[in-house]
Amino acid sequence: MFPWNFTPFNKDTIKKLQQMRPEEIEKYVNEMLGKMMPAEMQETDFTKGSNPFNISAQPTTQKFNQLEANVFETHDDVYVIIQVKNKNDVSNMRIFHTSNQLIIEHFPEAEDKHTITLPAIVKRKGARASYKEGTLEIKLPKSIHLQYTEIDIREYE
């Protein structure tokens, strides 16, 4: 049977822990993390918490000549948000996608073509685009099946 009343802390240690203030604990933890992490990661603020929806904290903004697209992903989908001022531009626009790129043609001018790299592999079918109040939202379902093939290695003598 497990000794539930057994603890690795003695009574003095328990008293000290009960008397500590949260600010002191936070300072101590930050000092220890600072000693353990590489210099590049020391600027990261870990007190912001985790992201339960797997949404990028900052959506990626890709700027082109006159096109600004916000790209982010959730567990199931990749979203591309584009501001379109004129509703007629949406009817002239052509949108295509590959497994990792979104291609937008005829926007903002008829001869323009923009390629946006997606943060994840997307499915071939199931993409949807909707326009509302000056915002074009393109939703692409993520592909969960990674297609890879083993390559045989031949030995030459």
Side-chain angles (χ1 to χ4, degrees), residues 3 5 7 15-16 22 26 30 46 51-52 55 63 66 78 90 102 110-112 116 127 134-135 141 146 154 157:
N5 58 354
T7 176
K15 274 187 181 179
K16 286 180 185 178
E26 183 177 356
N30 286 334
F46 293 102
N51 193 341
I55 299 173
K63 284 192 177 185
Q66 298 169 344
V78 173
V90 175
L102 182 74
E111 64 276 354
D112 290 342
I116 299 169
T135 302
L146 295 176
R154 295 183 183 180
E157 295 181 22

Side-chain angles (χ1 to χ4, degrees), residues 56 60 62 71-73 78-80 100 117-121 142:
S56 302
T60 307
Q62 299 181 14
V71 182
F72 62 93
E73 65 180 299
V78 173
Y79 289 90
V80 179
N100 69 336
T117 303
L118 302 173
I121 303 297
K142 288 169 86 173

